[in-house]
Amino acid sequence: MNKPLNKMAVQATINGEPTAFLCSPGQVLADVLRDELELIGTKIGCNTGDCGACSVLVNDRLVCACLVLAAEIEGQAVQTIEGVAEGGVLHPVQQKLLEHAGLQCGICTPGVVVAAKALIEHNPNPTEEQARYWLAGNLCRCTGYDKIIRAVLDAAQQMREEAAV
Amino acid sequence: MNAYQEFSIIGSRPVRPDGLDKVTGRARYGADLNMQGQIYGHIVRSPHAHAIIESIDTSQALATEGVLAVMTGADLPEPGDSVLGGGEGAIALKDLSPMVMSQGKVLFHSQAVAAVAATSPELAAQAAALIEVSYQVLPAVTDMHEALGADAPILHADRFPDGFPEEPTNLAAHISLEVGEPDAAFERADVVIEQTYSVPMCHQGYIEPHACVARVDAAGQVDLWCSTQGHFMVAQYTAALTGIDVGKVKVTASEIGGGFGGKTTVYLEPLAVVLAQKSGRPVKMIMDRGDVFRVTGPAPGAQTRVKLGATQDGQLVAADVECVMDSGAYSGNPASFPAFMATACYKLTDARSTGRAVYTNKPKIHAYRAPSVPQVTLGFELAMTELAAELGMDPLAFRLKNAVEEGDVNMMGAPYNRIGLRECLEVASNHAHYKAPVAEGEGRGVAAGYWINAGLQSSATLNVLSDGHLSILTGSPDIGGSRASMALMAAEVLGIPFEHIHPQIAATDAVGHCDVTGGSRTTLATGQAVIQAAEQCVAEMCRRAAAEWEVEAGVVTWSQGAAHYGEQSLTFEALARRAGTMGGPLTFSSSLTASSAAPSFGVHICDAKVDKETGRTTITRYTTIQDAGKAIHPAYVEGQMQGGAAQGIGWALNEEYLYDENGVLQNAGFLDYRIPVASDLPFIDTVIVEVPNPLHPFGVKGVGEVPIVPPMPAVAEAVYQSAGVRLRDMPLNPPKIVAALQEQ
């Protein structure tokens, strides 16, 4: 039987803050974020990388935190949903999701926010089709995606307009 | 006549009160609460779909360091013959208890047989593997038609539905309804169509797995936190299943990450409570995604035979509907709703509708959005479309000619009040989508749908805060934005700003009873309790203002958030600030059993394009039209319409439970049970029709469920029109379409 108390020490940057934690060798990043660091905004819907509720950025790369071993992020930078609103100001994706009613139960919302923000950073002017394919890994069972896609396209447009000023 | 005719804030689209928490990740769902000193539960599940448990040896697990409790079905009291209400319909304890944990016999794969609680999730899982269960394996039957065969293994040898008393069968329930003389009426028909349609078992597919944490203190008081559509139901069910007095069970509803009917029962909660009792420590349990698919309430698969007759001028004269539904391992009674609702959209004075439910070695079915009605509606509505084609009529015109309206009676003999089916059909007929030509290579389908909608019990308490803000407490978990609708309704009555209202979902010990958030009832019924409590608040504030002005209370009026008499006025805020000296705290409660429920109707238009090489179907345009009575927050009404349509499209094109010959689910995960993703769907257009419900002060009708009813027949017809092959068995996945095209 594995010894559950066999822990590794890991140092990483989480939402811009230097952070140290202990994890077991097999523990995934999603569990560490939620259980060790109390960052419960990262949701677990499947634990197999199929639903996208645990979407986070590791060194600006969009990943499912349930598929990343926590030990792998030694020395890396992780951004979670808790790091999206800067200084208490909502990111345009968050604001537009609220305005468009782009959430119902809200369990997929943190993952959608993280993924959509990454989309716009990657492609400031996404088409509807590009947004749909980028977000195809973020399952939502409530909305039919209509208002999510509208919110993301609206947020991208607002950010382009702000950047042009 | 509705008590409120004109609205100032109802119908606007403010940002929901709980929105900020949800977009920033602060909202707490079932798995997001930890209790001090908590340990972790893990369930041992049956590797067989049908078996007798000969013995369970828990000694090795119990002897493992860090394991603090072990339980089996023997730790649950004998269920007896009691029947529980409070969920989505009544359920017998003898069906609920073994579904939560087997007591001697296993009837479906992965059924819980034992559980362990240990100091870490890993340790609990390792210890669970040390529990030795000895099974006598029995042959399993997962196909409902085979289950009705003479040599099928019998799941419940002790059950005899009325009218079938001779020998045990797998028939779980049957119902037969008839109005007029259908057999004679078919003689009057110029055209008769008879076809059989089928829909597979599928899952609600909520993204949040079931999760809870339970504490039992030294006095036996239970404190339970869980993701549920009804925490009063959880308290009642958990108490009944564990033998604990319901008064000792406090349940707090977490934010809920989707339910769609699937969270109107309990799975983990009673087990967590028993493990907490035994260990003396809080116990947290989170269900694995695979187990969510394997053991929690799928929607029943169904086969429906539909026979319809019409005269040459398009008058429906007779209908005969026979629906067989898969109940899974225990009774979920899926037969009565389709029997009663199959014909609900149309004027039929001569009709027969029968339903049968069948036991199979699969998980007990559970409610999924308009339970059992999408299944029978696939058959009825697709038959309507096929019949319209035979008559050479436009499918919407054919429906409009036969649509029910106020005064018509349904199969149960109950007359319809002010309903909006005709209005929806007219909007659909005139909609730009329907008027647009069908694009080259594409097909178009339309369908209507009905759902009864529930009223049930609700309570609300309003507390006026000292600065003129208002807190609203209800016991209805908010699954799709209902806190926003509660705040809007209170704001409308009181005339205070939406932003000053703080709606919350209170625990079972902090507010009056509320039945589950289900049956599309929360905005209607809990909203009505909020309206009534707000009206009490207005009356009391007018009374206080009258006392201040030394006039009769009857002469004081309330408008724009203030009491008025002549030139004098006192605002809500002023009355709140001075409450202490004008009569004391302002707190108002209302509880009711809502008798105001009214049915919903919807009409969907679907354009689809089938790639004849790959068999893949793309939905190219989709429009939903629905009577909402009065849309309190239109964006969330549209959200229900779009979400229900998406679920129905998924069921039509791809979703199905696949079992192997041993009764093991083969696609128990989101990779293989693929729900629609963003790139599978177009924008889903919505038209909200408002035919006010005369029984409700604001005219509200439930909106949540009916949107999943029309999609399957609408999509199926669009696929037929595009591909040129008529398929009547869902899902219309690529292999099925390719096979049909090759056969052609």
Side-chain angles (χ1 to χ4, degrees):
Chain A
M1 190 176 288
N2 287 335
K3 285 207 164 58
L5 298 181
N6 178 14
K7 299 270 187 178
M8 305 170 69
V10 176
Q11 294 192 46
T13 306
I14 312 275
N15 296 329
E17 292 179 16
T19 305
F21 59 82
L22 296 175
C23 67
S24 50
Q27 205 168 3
V28 294
L29 177 58
D31 285 340
V32 163
L33 291 172
R34 293 175 49 79
D35 299 337
E36 312 294 330
L37 303 176
E38 296 184 356
L39 295 170
I40 52 115
T42 297
K43 302 302 178 191
I44 297 178
C46 68
N47 252 327
T48 50
D50 297 317
C51 80
C54 66
S55 298
V56 298
L57 299 180
V58 176
N59 291 346
D60 290 328
R61 183 164 166 233
L62 184 62
V63 297
C64 287
C66 73
L67 295 182
V68 177
L69 288 171
E72 288 183 85
I73 69 151
E74 169 71 34
Q76 317 280 311
V78 177
Q79 190 186 54
T80 71
I81 180 65
E82 287 87 353
V84 171
E86 285 178 45
V89 178
L90 292 182
H91 186 275
V93 167
Q94 293 171 309
Q95 187 60 40
K96 292 299 179 186
L97 280 168
L98 290 177
E99 290 172 12
H100 286 264
L103 58 145
Q104 285 177 34
C105 83
I107 194 83
C108 74
T109 307
V112 167
V113 168
V114 170
K117 175 172 176 279
L119 163 66
I120 297 168
E121 282 164 7
H122 177 83
N123 174 4
N125 192 6
T127 64
E128 179 201 338
E129 187 176 25
Q130 286 168 333
R132 287 187 180 277
Y133 276 89
W134 183 277
L135 292 171
N138 293 85
L139 300 184
C140 169
R141 190 61 157 172
C142 293
T143 65
Y145 306 102
D146 184 292
K147 295 181 190 302
I148 292 176
I149 298 298
R150 289 182 198 277
V152 170
L153 296 178
D154 195 5
Q157 184 182 344
Q158 182 186 312
M159 288 172 73
R160 287 195 306 277
E161 286 167 5
E162 284 171 0
V165 173
Chain B
M1 192 70 163
N2 301 100
Y4 295 78
Q5 296 286 315
E6 290 184 8
F7 299 97
S8 56
I9 189 168
I10 294 296
S12 65
R13 301 175 177 231
V15 168
R16 60 196 285 168
D18 53 315
L20 192 57
D21 280 352
K22 286 181 172 166
V23 298
T24 55
R26 286 202 306 261
R28 287 189 180 266
Y29 293 80
D32 297 340
L33 185 81
N34 296 310
M35 288 186 181
Q36 231 173 19
Q38 78 185 15
I39 58 175
Y40 303 86
H42 192 96
I43 294 175
V44 179
R45 298 187 179 278
S46 170
H48 309 293
H50 198 184
I52 292 166
I53 299 173
E54 292 175 325
S55 64
I56 303 179
D57 181 355
T58 61
S59 56
Q60 267 201 71
L62 208 45
T64 304
E65 192 183 358
V67 172
L68 301 184
V70 171
M71 73 171 290
T72 69
D75 291 301
L76 299 177
E78 277 288 314
D81 288 325
S82 60
V83 174
L84 304 174
E88 189 112 352
I91 184 165
L93 205 50
K94 68 180 179 186
D95 286 319
L96 185 62
S97 186
M99 183 194 86
V100 169
M101 185 167 279
S102 167
Q103 290 132 26
K105 204 173 177 200
V106 166
L107 292 183
F108 61 94
H109 180 261
S110 288
Q111 189 169 2
V113 295
V116 178
T119 50
S120 76
E122 298 78 22
L123 197 55
Q126 288 162 10
L130 299 175
I131 291 182
E132 288 180 14
V133 186
S134 167
Y135 297 95
Q136 180 194 334
V137 181
L138 303 172
V141 59
T142 57
D143 180 274
M144 64 177 177
H145 305 292
E146 286 174 22
L148 286 176
D151 51 357
I154 300 296
L155 274 72
H156 299 279
D158 56 342
R159 295 191 183 187
F160 304 92
D162 301 340
F164 292 85
E166 292 86 11
E167 290 185 33
T169 70
N170 286 320
L171 187 70
H174 64 98
I175 179 172
S176 186
L177 301 171
E178 191 166 318
V179 293
E181 295 179 357
D183 293 326
F186 274 111
E187 311 263 315
R188 298 201 304 273
D190 298 315
V191 183
V192 174
I193 186 172
E194 183 168 10
Q195 294 292 350
T196 299
Y197 307 84
S198 73
V199 177
M201 185 172 257
C202 77
H203 197 270
Q204 294 87 348
Y206 34 83
I207 308 298
E208 182 202 23
H210 300 263
C212 69
V213 54
R215 173 171 56 209
V216 184
D217 71 14
Q221 189 71 35
V222 176
D223 192 354
L224 179 57
W225 161 278
C226 60
S227 171
T228 178
Q229 288 176 247
H231 41 312
F232 285 88
M233 172 276 299
V234 171
Q236 184 196 357
Y237 282 17
T238 300
L241 288 163
T242 58
I244 297 171
D245 182 357
V246 70
K248 289 197 158 186
V249 182
K250 171 189 174 178
V251 185
T252 306
S254 70
E255 293 292 344
I256 175 171
F260 314 106
K263 291 178 183 167
T264 57
T265 188
V266 294
Y267 295 100
L268 300 175
E269 294 84 354
L271 307 180
V273 166
V274 170
L275 290 169
Q277 239 177 352
K278 287 186 154 220
S279 65
R281 298 272 290 270
V283 173
K284 184 168 185 171
M285 298 183 84
I286 302 173
M287 199 182 282
D288 172 67
R289 170 55 56 186
D291 290 336
V292 173
F293 279 111
R294 280 184 288 262
V295 308
T296 72
Q303 180 180 290
T304 309
R305 181 187 59 80
V306 181
K307 183 180 176 188
L308 296 178
T311 55
Q312 199 57 57
D313 64 348
Q315 196 72 48
L316 267 183
V317 293
D320 183 8
V321 182
E322 182 186 15
C323 191
V324 185
M325 306 207 86
D326 193 341
S327 185
Y330 298 95
S331 179
N333 193 17
S336 57
F337 280 174
F340 149 46
M341 300 189 208
T343 64
C345 287
Y346 304 105
K347 294 173 190 277
L348 275 161
T349 49
D350 299 282
R352 181 186 302 119
S353 184
T354 62
R356 283 182 293 165
V358 185
Y359 292 122
T360 58
N361 291 112
K362 292 188 281 194
K364 180 187 125 29
I365 61 96
H366 207 72
Y368 177 27
R369 204 167 200 158
S372 301
V373 174
Q375 292 93 322
V376 74
T377 300
L378 166 73
F380 202 95
E381 282 294 303
L382 202 45
M384 286 291 288
T385 296
E386 294 190 55
L387 184 53
E390 291 224 1
L391 291 164
M393 282 184 78
D394 172 83
L396 286 178
F398 178 48
R399 285 170 170 83
L400 201 49
K401 190 173 175 77
N402 294 283
V404 286
E405 56 197 326
E406 187 172 358
D408 288 330
V409 294
N410 66 17
M411 282 295 282
M412 307 293 274
Y416 287 111
N417 206 317
R418 188 79 183 86
I419 52 173
L421 175 58
R422 299 190 68 85
E423 287 80 351
C424 289
L425 287 165
E426 279 160 6
V427 168
S429 302
N430 295 315
H431 195 278
H433 180 176
Y434 199 64
K435 290 200 175 285
V438 181
E440 178 71 28
E442 296 187 7
R444 177 169 296 161
V446 297
Y450 162 89
W451 174 248
I452 183 170
N453 290 332
L456 305 177
Q457 302 172 87
S458 282
S459 301
T461 296
L462 273 51
N463 298 309
V464 179
L465 308 180
S466 58
D467 61 351
H469 283 226
L470 180 78
S471 84
I472 299 177
L473 306 180
T474 78
S476 294
D478 177 354
I479 202 161
S482 60
R483 270 166 291 194
S485 66
M486 298 306 142
L488 277 167
M489 288 185 272
E492 185 69 43
V493 175
L494 298 171
I496 62 174
F498 177 85
E499 295 72 23
H500 290 186
I501 301 176
H502 311 286
Q504 307 167 47
I505 316 305
T508 51
D509 62 351
V511 70
H513 178 92
C514 282
D515 284 326
V516 295
T517 293
S520 304
R521 63 172 222 91
T522 298
T523 296
L524 173 119
T526 308
Q528 200 169 344
V530 168
I531 292 167
Q532 288 181 0
E535 287 171 339
Q536 291 172 32
C537 180
V538 166
E540 174 62 13
M541 285 188 159
C542 286
R543 199 187 61 75
R544 290 185 182 192
E548 171 90 0
W549 298 326
E550 296 178 343
V551 297
E552 292 291 318
V555 302
V556 176
T557 59
W558 186 268
S559 65
Q560 311 279 325
H564 305 278
Y565 175 68
E567 296 291 298
Q568 306 177 90
S569 65
L570 269 169
T571 65
F572 184 92
E573 184 185 329
L575 288 158
R577 289 188 185 280
R578 293 175 55 197
T581 56
M582 292 181 79
L586 293 157
T587 299
F588 305 93
S589 292
S590 178
S591 290
L592 51 85
T593 298
S595 54
S596 53
S600 278
F601 293 87
V603 177
H604 291 197
I605 309 168
C606 173
D607 287 5
K609 185 178 176 64
V610 177
D611 181 328
K612 292 192 178 181
E613 200 173 339
T614 64
R616 188 181 197 279
T617 299
T618 303
I619 305 296
T620 53
R621 187 170 182 182
Y622 203 97
T623 302
T624 71
I625 297 136
Q626 185 176 322
D627 173 23
K630 177 69 196 173
I632 301 299
H633 191 303
Y636 287 105
V637 174
E638 293 163 2
Q640 292 296 317
M641 294 162 72
Q642 292 163 336
Q647 287 182 322
I649 291 168
W651 209 352
L653 292 180
N654 193 53
E655 294 180 38
E656 72 178 313
Y657 265 29
L658 299 168
Y659 282 92
D660 73 4
E661 64 281 8
N662 297 316
V664 182
L665 186 63
Q666 297 298 291
N667 54 341
F670 278 131
L671 186 62
D672 297 318
Y673 185 97
R674 191 173 178 284
I675 68 173
V677 304
S679 54
D680 291 333
L681 296 169
F683 285 125
I684 296 169
D685 288 338
T686 56
V687 181
I688 299 173
V689 174
E690 294 186 323
V691 178
N693 171 7
L695 304 175
H696 188 275
F698 285 3
V700 169
K701 293 173 181 169
V703 296
E705 285 165 293
V706 80
I708 200 176
V709 179
M712 278 194 282
V715 172
E717 176 64 12
V719 166
Y720 167 68
Q721 293 291 342
S722 172
V725 286
R726 172 64 75 191
L727 295 167
R728 300 184 177 91
D729 302 316
M730 305 299 108
L732 305 179
N733 56 30
K736 200 178 282 178
I737 289 176
V738 167
L741 283 166
Q742 284 170 351
E743 210 173 283
Q744 193 180 31

